[in-house]
Amino acid sequence: MKKTNRLKKNEEFQKVFQQGTSVANRQFVVYFLGKEEQTNIRIGLSVSKKLGNAVKRNKIKRLLREGLREFLPEMNSNLDLIIIARKPAAEMELEEIRKSLRHVLHKGRLLQKYNRRR
């Protein structure tokens, strides 16, 4: 994921939290906000200190970025997206993360394949 596709500023996170919609499963909470003027998707990741030390949190974020790479071409490009990892995500492997992300993104109707079937 390119750095231009990341949410970094607190104001950007707060806007998505306050104005966006959320969906969740046991492992992840996803907040999303559509922006018409935006041409590329921006993603923010949040991993709490409750999930472990800095090394473990950074590993979770790396696995999340890798898991998301598969879904980026299927997603609308005018979104701001925040993914919050919950406690069970700390013990998951890459394939489990991909499966869980697919589930929560389908649940939120964020994948274009899902939208075509409707």
Side-chain angles (χ1 to χ4, degrees), residues 13-30:
F13 271 79
Q14 292 307 317
K15 188 172 184 178
V16 176
F17 285 137
Q18 292 168 0
Q19 298 176 9
T21 308
S22 68
V23 290
N25 61 11
R26 289 179 187 252
Q27 296 84 15
F28 303 106
V29 179
V30 176

Side-chain angles (χ1 to χ4, degrees), residues 73-88:
E74 301 175 33
M75 297 176 74
N76 294 329
S77 61
N78 59 347
L79 284 175
D80 278 353
L81 192 72
I82 297 175
I83 300 174
I84 301 171
R86 288 182 166 172
K87 196 81 163 168

